[in-house]
Amino acid sequence: MTSTEKANAEKSSLRPTRQRLAVMEAMASFGDFRSAQDIHELLGERGEQVGLATVYRTLQRLADAGEVDVLRTEDGEAIYRRCSDSHHHHLVCRSCGATVEVEGPTVERWTSSIAAEHGYADVSHALEIFGTCPRCR
Amino acid sequence: MTSTEKANAEKSSLRPTRQRLAVMEAMASFGDFRSAQDIHELLGERGEQVGLATVYRTLQRLADAGEVDVLRTEDGEAIYRRCSDSHHHHLVCRSCGATVEVEGPTVERWTSSIAAEHGYADVSHALEIFGTCPRCR
DNA sequence: GTCGGAGTTGACAATCATTCTCACTTCATC
DNA sequence: GATGAAGTGAGAATGATTGTCAACTCCGAC
Ligand SMILES: [Zn+2]
Ligand SMILES: [Zn+2]
Ligand SMILES: [Zn+2]
Ligand SMILES: [Zn+2]
């Protein structure tokens, strides 16, 4: 089973419960990266009671399905953001977290050619850009 | 105080204790990324008794001084590797961990221009490439 | 409609990397 | 050989994440 088939299989067995819908709705309501605990808290404020473990589980499912992107803060905490489904990278403000999705063939080509040059196959990559956004300047 | 000055100040107050030398020596003895606990264990096997907390502290110092690079495994664990001091990225084998340092102006230019395009200042970036190395194929 | 089983949930416990605490040691300096 | 700052280590504490498991919800088969 390829990873795509597996993802589809998992997705197809997902029931659209109140909790999952609430998490997905919450994810749609902000544009920066937030931790599972942040999202759990946000849900609480909105009056949507969802268990913390369920928030973690749902975010994992969404991440596996590629519907959210996951990053790690400097101290290792996982943070999540709803993202477009096509391959892209992130330009993140170090101060306020404002995030822009960026893409371009340049890096894609560069990483492939570097990997090929060293005989590495089955290549993937992770790239994030950090800076201070115009509003935080 | 710039970050360089700070690093130097911190470095200058460092005493070359048996423990620190042992950690640095251990770091020089492998070429892939290892966790603090791995390194602690490695030290134990070599007969160098160093407390786990000290290993953590030393790795942090080295990382702050830019003498080792830090990555995060998929499950958030920090892994360390002794690296050249110039800016570079990593091509890592997903199977055996074999790591190659790579660099090139292409990505550097691309990230800068993307950031500038969106008005982000004070830019840095993180890029890792993952694949299967020739020996693991 | 109701039965049954798979999928789901949440309170709580458990895990586990990392950090903290603090009494003790080392080392340079005087 | 006294002093104080830097460093250490055993063990406790922290805190994000995951595991457990009994209760609950769907939904299709009957
Ligand atoms: Zn994204
Ligand atoms: Zn890319
Ligand atoms: Zn490196
Ligand atoms: Zn670079």
Side-chain angles (χ1 to χ4, degrees), chain A residues 33 68-69 71 81-84 86 88-90 99 101:
Chain A
F33 282 86
V68 303
D69 282 355
L71 251 59
R81 178 181 190 268
R82 191 193 201 191
C83 277
S84 69
S86 63
H88 62 271
H89 300 283
H90 301 107
T99 298
E101 294 186 15

Side-chain angles (χ1 to χ4, degrees), chain A residues 94 119 121-122 124 130 132 137, chain B residues 94 119 121-122 124 126 130 132 137:
Chain A
R94 261 191 295 265
D122 229 345
S124 65
F130 305 99
T132 310
R137 230 133 14 103
Chain B
R94 261 191 294 265
D122 227 346
S124 66
F130 304 100
T132 310
R137 230 134 13 104

Side-chain angles (χ1 to χ4, degrees), chain A residues 87-89 104 107-108 111 125-127:
Chain A
H87 176 81
H88 62 271
H89 300 283
V107 215
E108 308 307 320
T111 55
H125 60 262
L127 167 60

